[in-house]
Amino acid sequence: MKVTFLGTGVAVPYENRAQSSILIELDDFKILIDCGIGSYHRLEQLGIDLAEIDAVCITHHHLDHNGDLLNILKARWLLNCDTLKIFGPAGTKSFLESLLEAYPYLRGKLKFEIEERKEFTLGGARFKALPTIHSIESQGYVIDNALAISGDTRAFKDFISQECDIMVHELSLPFGYDADYHTTPENLKNHLKYCRAEKIYLTHLYPMAHAVKDKILEFLEYDAVVAEDMMSFEL
């Protein structure tokens, strides 16, 4: 399994980061976990054709996590690609329907299938979707008990304690904020005693959190690294 961060940014621009998106490569099977704005172009930078993407798994329907979904679907229509499998939380079917209401010229042209299941298999890997704590319906993913990806959430035991080798967890906010729907350093550290991952990649840092990233890493006292766009690792 090869994992590449296409986008590690947030809803406001900084450091030329694309918005949230992770590419999972399982032999010849390619999956996007979220596809925020900019992920479309990151794939081009990697030399990956949109026709090679087999599935998209959405954590939640905020623009910085799904903003390129319609771009991808339209481009695949123009390229005459096969049907794209889309997985997401409850409301994903309604979300796509609303996009087609807004852009009716695409109705009947885009090829996709939507599933809102909590367990499924892609490319021979087992995916488990777990509800997370955010301002709207949201979920994280655990893949083959090897990789866990939180999406947007505050840190909490049920997700942090999932069996995995590597965890990708958001850390949106710096010290001193309330951890209502996003993670803070204090919130994450309070739950690291439950973490079973050997290493954590931190992503989705807002600029004020990124400005103190070194202090955050020192404070966490864990094998953690702040993810950058186009960074990759293998499991």
Side-chain angles (χ1 to χ4, degrees):
M1 180 192 302
K2 183 177 180 181
V3 181
T4 303
F5 293 94
L6 301 180
T8 58
V10 292
V12 295
Y14 75 100
E15 291 196 337
N16 198 34
R17 291 171 183 257
Q19 293 178 352
S20 293
S21 185
I22 296 173
L23 172 67
I24 309 292
E25 296 178 82
L26 301 164
D27 295 325
D28 293 330
F29 206 93
K30 295 180 174 62
I31 303 153
L32 294 182
I33 308 294
D34 285 337
C35 51
I37 293 169
S39 53
Y40 177 91
H41 295 295
R42 289 284 189 247
L43 287 169
E44 185 180 19
Q45 286 179 276
L46 285 174
I48 295 177
D49 195 289
L50 291 176
E52 297 178 59
I53 302 301
D54 298 288
V56 176
C57 299
I58 301 293
T59 61
H60 66 289
H61 293 295
H62 277 164
L63 191 59
D64 56 325
H65 291 258
N66 67 12
D68 266 352
L69 181 57
L70 195 62
N71 287 334
I72 290 170
L73 286 171
K74 180 178 178 180
R76 287 172 62 91
W77 160 53
L78 294 172
L79 294 168
N80 196 30
C81 298
D82 293 334
T83 298
L84 181 67
K85 295 181 179 180
I86 300 172
F87 296 83
T92 297
K93 292 178 182 178
S94 297
F95 169 74
L96 264 294
E97 178 59 29
S98 70
L99 288 181
L100 294 176
E101 285 293 314
Y103 298 96
Y105 79 98
L106 294 175
R107 190 177 291 280
K109 297 173 181 174
L110 308 183
K111 291 190 246 181
F112 60 88
E113 295 176 354
I114 300 173
E115 296 280 355
E116 297 178 359
R117 290 184 285 137
K118 296 302 181 185
E119 294 188 14
F120 49 91
T121 299
L122 293 171
R126 292 172 288 111
F127 282 66
K128 178 172 62 174
L130 299 170
T132 52
I133 303 170
H134 196 40
S135 55
I136 62 171
E137 185 85 18
S138 62
Q139 60 190 32
Y141 294 95
V142 179
I143 305 168
D144 262 355
N145 290 333
L147 175 66
I149 301 174
S150 74
D152 284 6
T153 182
R154 75 168 183 252
F156 64 105
K157 181 179 178 181
D158 285 354
F159 190 85
I160 289 286
S161 62
Q162 290 296 310
E163 182 180 346
C164 62
D165 300 314
I166 300 291
M167 178 168 287
V168 177
H169 203 286
E170 76 119 283
L171 184 57
S172 295
L173 302 173
F175 299 99
Y177 280 71
D178 291 330
D180 293 329
Y181 302 121
H182 282 295
T183 301
T184 66
E186 299 94 331
N187 167 229
L188 181 57
K189 187 169 183 176
N190 285 341
H191 291 84
L192 284 178
K193 59 181 174 288
Y194 305 116
C195 188
R196 302 162 73 181
E198 298 171 3
K199 187 171 187 176
I200 298 179
Y201 285 84
L202 302 173
T203 189
H204 200 271
L205 279 72
Y206 272 85
M208 63 276 200
H210 192 267
V212 294
K213 65 177 183 178
D214 292 338
K215 291 183 180 179
I216 291 173
L217 293 174
E218 182 180 358
F219 171 76
L220 292 177
E221 299 180 302
Y222 204 89
D223 188 359
V225 62
V226 174
E228 305 283 345
D229 286 21
M230 308 300 271
M231 179 184 286
S232 65
F233 61 88
E234 296 198 21
L235 282 167

